[in-house]
Amino acid sequence: MKLLKNEMYKVFKLNKLFYFMVMAIGLLIIQGVTVLSSPSGNINGQSFPMFMLSRIMPLFIFFMALLFAEIISDEYRNGTLKLFLLRPVHRVELLNAKIAAMIISVLMLLLFVMTGSYVIGAALLGWGDQMMFNDTVFPAAQGILLTLQSYIITALPCLGFGMIIVLVSILSPTMGGTIGISLGIMFVLTALENVQELHSFSIVHQMNLYQSFAGKFQAVNVISGLVNIAMYILIFYMGSVLAIKKKEIVI
């Protein structure tokens, strides 16, 4: 818990979370104005958070890449990382604390985007009397619960992609390398969306998993999606553990 507290302190001290919250507000306003000016737009304040969920994901990937570039790659480069390991702290414990800090930060950013979507959507588009998603109409209370559920579910594929970034940040000696490689992986996995036989294996594709819970429950998609996400988390976590154990940190 002391390690986690220290990692969260660094997240807030570095102001990364604050900067991305400001960026998220800017994107929400731009998208809200775009929807408002669309002649065929039928999205109201209740539907706007679900509308934004899939569109905001690149921001989360960039946030995780920048965060781990700072708290692993840059700490290794400037020697800060080895200071922790001079104390009775196991490398895997330190790694777990950094991953836990990422999960908490992503959840906070997700909930912030959801709340901001409601506020900006209602201000620009009006609240409306019902929520519509995938041609299904939901009463206001049910729509809010569905939206909250969707945002929380989306934290799982974010963690799956985050584990890729963790491994990249351990292997890359520079911040720029971590960010560049992570964004490159995002573009490659996004490109798999156009290959029907492969797109379900992309963790980027699984960021739409929440749609299988909305409206008619799609058990096959949910099970295959959760298995896919679990494999990403497990494989890249184990790879990260092996990499940090072998990395020459203390000199």
Side-chain angles (χ1 to χ4, degrees):
M1 291 303 298
K2 288 182 180 179
L3 285 173
L4 175 58
K5 183 179 178 181
N6 182 69
E7 294 303 325
M8 289 306 303
Y9 171 77
K10 285 189 286 187
V11 168
F12 288 111
K13 184 180 179 181
L14 293 169
N15 289 323
K16 293 290 185 295
L17 190 59
F18 172 75
Y19 293 146
F20 275 85
M21 285 178 173
V22 173
M23 291 173 62
I25 289 295
L27 287 174
L28 292 173
I29 293 173
I30 291 171
Q31 287 290 336
V33 171
T34 302
V35 171
L36 183 64
S37 61
S38 174
S40 58
N42 58 354
I43 299 171
N44 58 24
Q46 295 185 54
S47 307
F48 191 60
M50 293 293 281
F51 172 79
M52 283 303 305
L53 186 51
S54 61
R55 291 164 175 79
I56 205 80
M57 281 302 103
L59 181 70
F60 280 83
I61 292 174
F62 185 39
F63 169 69
M64 291 186 291
L66 193 59
L67 179 63
F68 271 99
E70 190 87 45
I71 67 175
I72 292 186
S73 299
D74 196 50
E75 284 188 3
Y76 173 74
R77 183 186 60 79
N78 61 32
T80 309
L81 200 61
K82 73 177 180 180
L83 295 179
F84 289 98
L85 300 177
L86 292 174
R87 302 173 182 179
V89 174
H90 195 278
R91 293 184 181 210
V92 178
E93 290 177 335
L94 182 60
L95 176 66
N96 290 340
K98 292 180 182 295
I99 293 171
M102 176 194 70
I103 296 170
I104 294 171
S105 301
V106 166
L107 282 171
M108 291 174 64
L109 191 55
L110 277 167
L111 293 176
F112 177 82
V113 168
M114 186 188 78
T115 304
S117 297
Y118 273 122
V119 173
I120 292 172
L124 292 176
L125 308 171
W127 180 248
D129 54 2
Q130 60 190 14
M131 190 268 254
M132 179 176 288
F133 180 71
N134 282 351
D135 299 323
T136 305
V137 175
F138 301 92
Q142 186 179 350
I144 292 173
L145 288 175
L146 176 65
T147 302
L148 177 60
Q149 169 189 284
S150 299
Y151 272 76
I152 293 174
I153 288 170
T154 303
L156 292 174
C158 281
L159 175 58
F161 198 99
M163 293 312 306
I164 298 176
I165 297 174
V166 172
L167 180 57
V168 170
S169 65
I170 294 171
L171 297 177
S172 173
T174 64
M175 286 184 62
T178 297
I179 296 170
I181 294 171
S182 298
L183 295 181
I185 292 172
M186 180 189 74
F187 289 128
V188 170
L189 292 177
T190 302
L192 290 181
E193 294 285 295
N194 300 319
V195 183
Q196 188 64 30
E197 296 80 8
L198 298 176
H199 75 104
S200 61
F201 295 102
S202 167
I203 192 66
V204 174
H205 176 73
Q206 300 308 329
M207 289 181 179
N208 297 316
L209 180 65
Y210 68 93
Q211 297 187 19
S212 298
F213 290 85
K216 188 177 179 181
F217 183 76
Q218 301 173 23
V220 174
N221 291 344
V222 168
I223 293 171
S224 64
L226 290 176
V227 169
N228 190 296
I229 293 169
M231 292 302 295
Y232 270 90
I233 294 173
L234 180 62
I235 291 171
F236 285 96
Y237 174 73
M238 294 305 298
S240 299
V241 169
L242 292 174
I244 201 165
K245 283 183 176 180
K246 293 182 178 180
K247 193 173 184 71
E248 198 168 324
I249 298 175
V250 181
I251 1 179

